[in-house]
Amino acid sequence: MATASGKFDINTSYKLNSGHQIPVLGYGVYQTPAATAESVVLHALKNGYRHIDSARAYRNEQPCGDAMRASGLKREEIFFTSKVPPKSMTYDEAKKSIASTFSQTGLDYVDLYLLHAPYGGKEGRLGAWQALREAQKEGKIRSIGVSNYGVHHLAELEEYIKSSGDGSKIDVNQCEVHPWLPRNDIVDWCKQRGVVVEAYCPVIRGQRAEEPVLKKLSEKHNKTWAQILLRWSLQKGYVPLPKSETSKRIEENADIYDFELDESDMKELDMPDSYEPCAWDPTTSKD
Ligand SMILES: NC(=O)c1ccc[n+]([C@@H]2O[C@H](COP(=O)([O-])OP(=O)(O)OC[C@H]3O[C@@H](n4cnc5c(N)ncnc54)[C@H](OP(=O)(O)O)[C@@H]3O)[C@@H](O)[C@H]2O)c1
């Protein structure tokens, strides 16, 4: 676990509501082609990452499973996530999605399974959640959560969990979060309930490399703009999920434990009213 003083290392993990641990740095594989995924995931595992963020929709679960086996690490040393695709948000389709993850990866359990986006209407969302809960009870999935859920989607799910008495707990909400998209409403809701916020697009797909504040902090700490962003995410208490297919960047993105942003640095990156997503934003969907 992270200590109160905010010290982290490559092995830091948080305890989820399920009781399982989640490594605080993840490795994302969105848009990583299946043909190269095994070698880049292997490179990440060799460089200390212990957490892989995949999804049915990314079409690279199989090479992720292959890399996990090829790494020589024990299964329980690696945290693997997949997700129910946005178009599969019903009970039946979510069950099929989970079954397919097992046949693709060859794993005997999955650490975390998420609902990729709050689509499909209330019935679809809650049906898909029931499928996750069943798989968790069967021991196939250790922790369950959501992605791209706005506060109104989270409240709907919380209400369902209370009224159904199914005993489920939301472990994670995975959303785009960075200084230009702080999402304080979602973050506060999650914090109050021990729901871990996973931050996707933590390096903003490289789009803010020239921002003066990042240049300044980069010079001050002798670290790259990407490392400054990742460190911000860690110090905010999130689980950042940087993606890279470039060996040097994979290493760079994990080399974030030898410096600390101080209070004034964190303040400079505090833009509470900023709303500038670089990806899609299903958190605002109303149906
Ligand atoms: N749940 C969702 O809806 C959702 C949506 C988006 C993402 N995600 C998850 O979050 C992960 C990360 O998000 P993302 O891939 O969209 O964005 P990201 O990690 O912010 O950015 C990835 C891009 O930035 C480049 N990059 C990475 N590290 C860099 C560095 N140190 N210096 C310069 N450029 C660097 C990568 O290039 P190269 O690969 O060419 O090195 C790639 O083009 C995804 O892979 C996925 O697992 C989830």
Side-chain angles (χ1 to χ4, degrees), residues 27-32 52-55 58 83 114-117 147-148 174-176 199-207 209 224-227 230 241-250 252-253 278-280 282:
Y27 176 69
V29 292
Y30 173 53
Q31 289 186 322
T32 300
I52 303 159
D53 184 74
S54 185
Y58 301 168
K83 313 183 188 92
L114 305 177
L115 304 180
H116 207 142
S147 175
N148 295 301
Q174 180 182 121
C175 293
E176 182 179 339
Y200 75 67
C201 303
V203 299
I204 323 174
R205 297 182 171 165
Q207 293 169 12
T224 67
W225 59 267
Q227 291 169 325
L230 291 168
L241 307 170
K243 173 264 173 186
S244 175
E245 291 169 54
T246 314
S247 297
K248 270 191 132 23
R249 290 174 177 171
I250 293 173
E252 174 186 325
N253 294 344
C278 71
W280 63 339

Side-chain angles (χ1 to χ4, degrees), residues 48-124:
Y49 293 81
R50 291 291 179 268
H51 171 176
I52 303 159
D53 184 74
S54 185
R56 295 284 308 131
Y58 301 168
R59 298 174 188 272
N60 54 23
E61 292 172 293
Q62 183 181 338
C64 288
D66 291 341
M68 288 166 70
R69 279 180 290 274
S71 72
L73 292 163
K74 290 187 195 128
R75 171 66 188 90
E76 60 272 24
E77 290 180 89
I78 308 173
F79 189 98
F80 178 77
T81 301
S82 192
K83 313 183 188 92
V84 174
K87 286 185 182 151
S88 303
M89 289 290 285
T90 64
Y91 173 78
D92 289 338
E93 289 302 313
K95 275 187 95 80
K96 283 188 208 159
S97 168
I98 295 164
S100 177
T101 292
F102 282 99
S103 64
Q104 287 279 309
T105 59
L107 299 177
D108 55 6
Y109 70 90
V110 168
D111 294 277
L112 176 66
Y113 219 100
L114 305 177
L115 304 180
H116 207 142
Y119 293 154
K122 181 174 180 181
E123 199 184 323

Side-chain angles (χ1 to χ4, degrees), residues 170-183:
I170 307 170
D171 289 305
V172 160
N173 188 16
Q174 180 182 121
C175 293
E176 182 179 339
V177 181
H178 46 71
W180 285 269
L181 189 63
R183 296 205 190 280

Side-chain angles (χ1 to χ4, degrees), residues 12 100 109 138 157 163 213:
T12 305
S100 177
Y109 70 90
E138 290 164 12
L157 180 54
S163 62
V213 62

